[in-house]
């Protein structure tokens, strides 16, 4: 059965994007081959993605999950119906206002592989509904001071169990099991 995980790169102060939604700050840090191996191992297990659609319900350059390297189905949350989009061999399905349905469809599409949940709002909704098995964070050594938080806004505390930690060049890789 498929595992559902939140997979994100965050700043040390917990932001997944700067205040304008930019992620350029993630680049330019020293990377060790061991860092790349940790991330590649996670990425290699992903069989589907759940995220949020942009307001225009289009698939723009820079918005493609994992830069399109996965080649797996993507399920995008939206407030209005939209036909599926195929781009570069990847099918983007739009799911209206039902994150449980989106995760269920992604799990079915992923088979034995993992479902990666992307984005703050979608991640928080999935956590609140008990849909997330693990959280995998790649922490970059920068303090943004403000931005788009991955977890701010949860309605309750959630206990986690650390199952893996590694650090090589500049990133710290954290992996937690969600307990409740």
């Amino acid at each position: 059965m498929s595992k559902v995980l939140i997979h994100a790169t965050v700043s040390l102060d917990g932001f997944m994007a700067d205040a304008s939604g930019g992620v350029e700050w993630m680049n330019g840090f020293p990377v060790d081959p061991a860092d790349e191996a940790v991330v590649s191992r996670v990425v290699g297990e992903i069989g589907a993605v759940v995220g949020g659609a942009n307001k225009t319900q289009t698939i723009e350059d820079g918005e493609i999950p994992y830069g399109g390297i996965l080649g797996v189905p993507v399920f995008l949350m939206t407030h209005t119906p939209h036909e599926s989009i195929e781009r570069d061999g990847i099918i983007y399905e739009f799911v209206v206002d039902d994150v449980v349905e989106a995760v269920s469809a992604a799990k079915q599409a992923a088979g034995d592989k993992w479902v990666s949940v992307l984005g703050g709002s979608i991640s928080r909704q999935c956590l609140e509904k008990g849909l997330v098995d693990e959280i995998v964070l790649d922490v970059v050594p920068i303090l943004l001071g403000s931005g788009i938080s991955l977890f701010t806004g949860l309605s309750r505390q959630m206990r986690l169990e650390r199952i893996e930690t590694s650090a090589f060049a500049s990133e710290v890789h954290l992996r937690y099991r969600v307990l409740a």
Side-chain angles (χ1 to χ4, degrees), residues 99-109:
V99 74
V100 174
E101 178 186 331
V103 169
S104 177
K107 287 174 80 169
Q108 184 174 3

Side-chain angles (χ1 to χ4, degrees), residues 3-176:
K3 181 186 304 187
V4 177
L5 60 103
I6 294 169
H7 184 220
T9 299
V10 296
S11 64
L12 186 58
D13 49 355
F15 296 106
M16 56 180 234
D18 63 26
S20 64
V23 294
E24 296 78 26
W25 54 267
M26 292 181 188
N27 301 315
F29 294 97
V31 177
D32 185 275
D35 288 310
E36 293 173 340
V38 169
V39 174
S40 292
R41 187 179 41 152
V42 172
V43 169
E45 289 294 329
I46 296 171
V49 173
V50 174
N54 63 26
K55 289 180 178 35
T56 58
Q57 296 180 326
T58 56
I59 310 302
E60 303 294 329
D61 290 337
E63 296 177 338
I64 299 171
Y66 297 93
I69 64 169
L70 297 180
V72 301
V74 178
F75 298 84
L76 298 173
M77 297 301 306
T78 184
H79 296 296
T80 57
H82 193 284
E83 293 296 318
S84 301
I85 294 175
E86 186 275 328
R87 179 171 174 184
D88 299 326
I90 299 171
I91 303 295
Y92 297 84
E93 298 283 347
F94 293 86
V95 181
V96 180
D97 293 330
D98 189 343
V99 74
V100 174
E101 178 186 331
V103 169
S104 177
K107 287 174 80 169
Q108 184 174 3
D112 291 335
K113 291 197 155 227
W114 300 347
V115 173
S116 177
V117 177
L118 302 178
S121 174
I122 304 302
S123 294
R124 290 186 298 273
Q125 289 175 55
C126 288
L127 279 167
E128 295 276 356
K129 294 186 180 296
L131 303 173
V132 177
D133 299 301
E134 293 184 9
I135 298 172
V136 179
L137 301 175
D138 302 307
V139 183
V140 176
I142 189 170
L143 296 169
L144 295 178
S146 66
I148 300 172
S149 172
L150 184 56
F151 298 115
T152 298
L154 287 171
S155 66
R156 61 186 171 91
Q157 293 181 358
M158 297 192 157
R159 297 196 58 86
L160 308 172
E161 174 187 16
R162 182 179 52 83
I163 55 177
E164 186 177 347
T165 303
S166 60
F168 302 99
S170 60
E171 293 180 15
V172 175
H173 309 282
L174 304 169
R175 188 168 171 188
Y176 295 95

